[in-house]
Structures are given as structure tokens and as C-alpha cells.
Amino acid sequence: MTDIEFICESVADIETDLLVTYYFENGPSIEVPGLNEAAKAVDAKSCTGARTVLPGTGTKARKIALVGAKADELHSRRNSDFSNGIELEGTGIHRHLAAIGTRGLEAKNVVLAGKYENEDDVIQAGIGALLGCYTIQKYGDEKVTPLDQLTICVPQGLNTHTMAKRIKVLASSMMMIMDLVNRSPNDLYPAKFATYAQQAIAGLPIEAEIWDENKLAEEGCGGILAVGLGSDRGSRLVKLSYAPQNASKKISLIGKGITFDSGGISIKPAKGMEAMKSDMTGAATVLATTVAAAVLGLNVKIDTYLALAENMPGGRAQRPSDVITMRGGKTVEVINTDAEGRLVMGDALALAAETDTDAIVDVATLTGAQIVGLGERTAGVMGTANMRDAIVASAAQVGEAMWSAPLPSYLLDSLKSDVADIANSGTRAGGMMVAGVFLQEFVADKPWAHIDIAGPSYNDGSPWGANNKGATGMSMLTLVNWAESLA
Ligand code: BES
Ligand code: MN
Ligand code: ZN
């Protein structure tokens, strides 16, 4: 793991592969002889997120990356200012700009010298620098080693121990999500995901229980089982429990873990289907969140449920018009086997709602309608009003884009079924919220938030800001921040 150090002055004297600094309209944010002239000579751009790479002019760095920024916007807490494709959201801007600074330059040793005012700024920048160095692991290649050393130039008086720990823990949790999501689905199927989860918590104060298909049947988890019927790779439910002794609150985290979503019998079109290996991102996210919470020693109990299944159209697959019985006894008419996420989530939500939990948060790549409604970069948040708003506020604090949506009860009408309590697919209009009202049927009026991350969790296009190609790891920072606010 990367060694992290902090300094308060003389960045120019450090021997390093790469020095990353901000480039404002009136010049670089660090004072180094000759750097301003060198930047002007190559016409360096100061618009937010632009990058200019120079030789290490006036420093002991091999290269200098100048990252465009607006000095007066770095510390504003605005929510929706868009500049050069980068959303400026409080401290999150430092994460994006640092990632832009390090991305693709293959540095093993980096010095970060932006303009940071407080610990949050530094933590975000540190995370960003590490994320920018992330590369997708290629099958057959040797494992790529992460950055060896990261040195951050910080104002005096900040707690360097906490900052180093948080950067390491949060960045490695985000990379855990990326590694899991970027793996191919023949390699990562439900049982293997469950084993991975067991390994990920080794040595941590987290208990794990894995339910295989027999146990799922015994426990009445008809949704998770039905979705997995068309696959030769059996469904699993992983239950994790982190229970620090003095914690007064208990939260439940639930993640959608479809290791591949072909659509099942309601099969998806071929174009773009490969992206459906990412349909387990919610499960990866709540696993990584639980690990981060345990390593950081958060003082809140966490029960985590990974609802794992592969949605395939095999000979035993569920069919449109099947009626299944979910955990808790509700019957569901399966109109569309591609609306499988709500089936696995319904069981897991019901399990959580049976416990004495104070709040439930679920994370799922649940609907294409989320992408239509809010775009590729903003997650949709639904649920009980207080919980929904708390998650959206928490997201803004860490610079993740989330927006709240209502759960109007009339939408439930479109989920009426003649043969079951509820159908799994209804009106196309407001599809993200239709899925939300379906899930609401399983939470027994507990305080609950549902985060639909279909768009922002997976980046089909080129990297932008701190978001790499493929999995972005988004929503983990929000969950940790929110859990911490309860502790
Ligand atoms: N996993 C998909 C949702 C999705 C789509 C995630 C695109 C990421 C990118 C989900 O299981 C699904 O197929 N939803 C259907 C629901 C419909 C059949 C009611 C959808 O959104 O089309
Ligand atoms: Mn689907
Ligand atoms: Zn799905």
C-alpha cells in the first residue's frame, strides 16, 4: 500500500516522479522560480480540470502537472456549478482535480501541492491522487502495484495521522469496488463473490454468514432464488455484521449483487449487454463500506446484506407470469424477468426490516430509467423523507452527485396484479420511482433510503475528474460519511 507523508513547505526540494499543483488564472498555486514563465510558454490553461504537463522546471520533480482551477471556487460549497464537465461540489473538487493531475502519467511517487485549507480538502485530494493512478487489472498480466509514495503539502496544524489513515482506507475501499466490478462475470459469480467477501473481512471485527440455495429456500427468500433459477451458478446471500461494543445505533446496508444481468427470459438486446457485469456494484459498494467502517472503527452497528444472483435465461429460468413468494410472504407476479433487481432486493430489505434496525439504506444499479431521468452522473435517492434528505446532504458534503426523487403512491397502481399481491413491472413513466415504490413494500415503514446508482457507478466513456473508466466506486464515500454522522 502507498506510503503517505505530509509536508508544510519546500515542495520544490523533493525528488519525485510527479509534482501536481493547481494552475490559476494568475499562475501556479506554488511559487517556483521559472514555473510561471514555462507555463505561459506552452499556453497552459487555467480552466477547471484542464491539465498541462511540464518538465520539472525549478524543482527536483521529473514532471509537473498543472491542473486548472479557479481559486475562488475551490472552497465554495456550491452544488451545481459545472465547468469543463467537472461538478464543483465542496471538497469533492480536490478529489477530481488531483485525479486529473495523476491520471495516466505512470508515476510511482507523487507530490500533491494544491491549495488545501482543511483536513477534508487534503483527504479528498489524497483519495483523488490514488484513484487517478488506478488501472484496470488485465487478465493474465501481473498485478499492477499502486503508487509507492504520496506526499501532500498541507497547511500547518492538521491531524496527519487521521488524514493518512482516511486516505488509505477510503481510496482502497473505492478500489475494492472497482476491482470487483471490473472483473468479468465468468470469473466473479455469486458463490465466488461470497468467498471474496469472507476474505475481505479477514482480521476485521466483522462476522459473516453465507446462505446458499438450500438455506435461502428454508428462509423463504423466493426473490433471490427465482432470479438465479436460469443460471447454473447458484444464488447466495451474504450477511455481514459489524457490532462495536458501545454503539447505540444500528444501520442496515443492502446491495444489489447481480453478477451478470442478461435480462433472463425477457432478454436484453446484445448492444451494451457487456456492461451488465456491473450489476453487482451495489453489493460491492456496501461490502466496501462495511470494511471501511470497521477499519476506521466507526461507532455504529452495521448489518450488511449482499443479494447475489446471476440473471440468465437457462432452461429452469423463471418466466414472465410466474408467481413467486418473497421473504415475509408477499407474492409477486414476475411480468418482466429483467426487473430482477427489485426481486433480490425485496428479500434482503424484508430481512433487514425484521430486525431492530434504526435505518436501512439500499444501493442498486436498479433502473435504466435512472439514467434517462438524471443522466449518467447523478444518482437518484428515494425513501422516507428524513432518510432520503440525509443521504442527499451527506453526498453533497463529500462531493458525490445525488438527487432526491419522490415515491408517489399512485405509481403503485401500475404494479397491480390479478394473481399476486404485486407485479414486478409497471408503467414505464417514472420507472426509477416505480422500482422505488416496489421496494417500499418490503421495508415495513422503517426509516429507509434507496440509492439508484445505475448511471454514475459505471463509466462506459472516458475518465472524467476522479471517475475512471469502468467502475467509479461512487456512493461509498457518502455512505461512510452518513454512517459517521450517526456515530
Ligand atoms: N440492471 C438493470 C438496470 C440498469 C440499466 C443498470 C442500465 C445499469 C445500466 C435492471 O435490472 C433492469 O434491467 N431494469 C429494467 C427494468 C424494467 C424491465 C422494468 C430497466 O431499467 O429497463
Ligand atoms: Mn435487469
Ligand atoms: Zn439488473
Side-chain angles (χ1 to χ4, degrees), residues 14-37:
I14 308 175
E15 283 189 31
T16 184
D17 294 339
L18 177 67
L19 169 61
V20 179
T21 190
Y22 290 156
Y23 188 62
F24 301 127
E25 208 172 282
N26 60 356
S29 65
I30 51 169
E31 264 185 60
V32 169
L35 183 57
N36 202 6
E37 292 68 27

Side-chain angles (χ1 to χ4, degrees), residues 256 261 268 276 279 336 338-340 342 365-369 371 425 454:
K256 172 175 172 180
D261 181 13
K268 288 180 181 295
M276 282 302 120
D279 214 18
N336 190 322
D338 197 12
E340 85 298 338
R342 58 199 78 181
T365 48
L366 205 63
T367 65
I371 305 172
S425 170

Side-chain angles (χ1 to χ4, degrees), residues 397-411:
Q397 282 172 0
V398 297
E400 290 190 322
M402 297 198 186
W403 204 252
S404 62
L407 291 177
S409 54
Y410 78 88
L411 287 174

Side-chain angles (χ1 to χ4, degrees), residues 387-438:
M387 278 297 295
R388 178 198 64 208
D389 294 348
I391 293 293
V392 171
S394 177
Q397 282 172 0
V398 297
E400 290 190 322
M402 297 198 186
W403 204 252
S404 62
L407 291 177
S409 54
Y410 78 88
L411 287 174
L412 210 46
D413 293 348
S414 76
L415 293 173
K416 280 210 171 105
S417 163
D418 292 332
V419 291
D421 294 328
I422 190 172
N424 81 327
S425 170
T427 173
R428 223 169 72 84
M432 176 180 77
M433 299 174 294
V434 174
V437 299
F438 180 94

Side-chain angles (χ1 to χ4, degrees), residues 172-186:
S172 53
S173 275
M174 281 179 87
M175 292 193 247
M176 177 191 289
I177 302 171
M178 296 175 192
D179 285 343
L180 276 167
V181 174
N182 292 332
R183 277 168 73 169
S184 61
N186 59 337

